[in-house]
Amino acid sequence: MSAVSFGSRLRTSVSSRGSLCVGIDPHPALLAQWGLSDDVAGLERFTLTVVEALADRVAVIKPQAAFFERFGSAGVAVLERALVGIRDGGALSIVDAKRGDIGSTMAAYADAFAGEGSPLAGDAVTVSPFLGFGSLRPLLDLAAANGRGVFVLALTSNPEGGQVQHARRPDGKTVAQTMIDAVAAENAGASPTGSVGVVVGATVTGVGREHDLSVINGPILAPGIGAQGATPEDLRAVFGPALDQVLPNSSREVLGAGPTVAGLREAAARSVEAVENALRA
């Protein structure tokens, strides 16, 4: 894909376009809000409008794979078109697929989401490490070889996540910190930043007291800005010394401004400004 690492390309994109990542989450309620049908035609209209509006002006766009997969092969084809459009517009893409498995199955996921020539391969993909960080090895290796990134779930904002993520090993370290430390090891020595990141919800409280994110030398994807309750001003309290690594994600806050291209662009511009003011204050 690229001789330049994902981490380097992300740093370049953020420096020119700001730190905002915008999700594409075409769930039924948003399709209805836009006056669109809950079918492949509505999905396509929604998705391509977002890509047209934002791919040439925000740093990162994150399509949520599930909302495309629910329509079968026709929906996946829309996701593939979206990834082409995002790339053509100059933004980076994160396919929010949260895949996680072992052995040959994980290798197959790696081919799908990080393989050279795969229509489902964006610039990066989200993964679940809770079969053990080592289970991600096929994807981590292929992504690195092809200049792509990987975002590893670490601290999610859903209440159920704490059952696993906050559990402690015999040495007292949480499962989440175990994953954070493993990401740090992947990124060791990378410059200007590593290509393996973590996902930490912007709505998660007490991150800095329990977990050290400053070690990762990589990006922190932070969903939850807007409709999920977090504000840009919350980022400093949540992420503290790791603030310069944060890539805040906003979905419904921006998408709700559709269905016009102009409305989406205005909402994204406001979000970019608010995020930059919070991160750089």
Side-chain angles (χ1 to χ4, degrees), residues 156-162 165 203:
T156 58
S157 56
N158 61 305
E160 304 86 353
Q165 296 155 19
T203 56

Side-chain angles (χ1 to χ4, degrees), residues 99-115 125 139 142:
R99 295 302 195 263
D101 217 304
I102 60 171
S104 60
T105 307
M106 195 67 216
Y109 281 139
D111 287 340
F113 293 102
V125 62
L139 178 56
L142 189 61

Side-chain angles (χ1 to χ4, degrees), residues 18-204:
S19 297
L20 183 70
C21 171
V22 177
I24 301 182
D25 296 356
H27 53 75
L30 264 177
L31 294 175
Q33 183 178 327
W34 281 34
L36 299 173
S37 52
D38 187 17
D39 54 20
V40 173
L43 172 77
E44 182 174 47
R45 177 71 178 274
F46 182 98
T47 301
L48 298 185
T49 299
V50 176
V51 172
E52 176 188 354
L54 303 182
D56 65 345
R57 56 197 62 213
V58 300
V60 183
I61 296 178
K62 181 177 69 65
Q64 168 50 257
F67 290 116
F68 298 86
E69 291 169 348
R70 73 188 185 100
F71 293 109
S73 60
V76 173
V78 175
L79 174 58
E80 293 172 359
R81 287 187 62 191
L83 293 174
V84 172
I86 293 167
R87 181 173 64 247
D88 289 347
L92 300 181
S93 60
I94 301 172
V95 180
D96 196 355
K98 298 185 179 71
R99 295 302 195 263
D101 217 304
I102 60 171
S104 60
T105 307
M106 195 67 216
Y109 281 139
D111 287 340
F113 293 102
E116 198 61 40
S118 171
L120 284 173
D123 293 285
V125 62
T126 60
V127 295
S128 174
F130 298 117
L131 287 173
F133 191 86
S135 68
L136 303 177
R137 181 51 55 196
L139 178 56
L140 292 167
D141 288 347
L142 189 61
N146 289 337
R148 292 188 161 94
V150 177
F151 284 88
V152 179
L153 298 180
L155 286 163
T156 58
S157 56
N158 61 305
E160 304 86 353
Q163 296 174 349
V164 173
Q165 296 155 19
H166 294 285
R168 293 187 182 274
R169 307 185 328 179
D171 63 2
K173 184 183 292 187
T174 65
V175 170
Q177 188 65 52
T178 301
M179 300 307 164
I180 292 166
D181 291 346
V183 167
E186 294 293 316
N187 291 332
S191 180
T193 188
S195 296
V196 183
V198 293
V199 180
V200 176
T203 56
V204 177

Side-chain angles (χ1 to χ4, degrees), residues 257-268:
T260 67
V261 167
L264 291 166
R265 287 176 173 172
E266 290 170 5

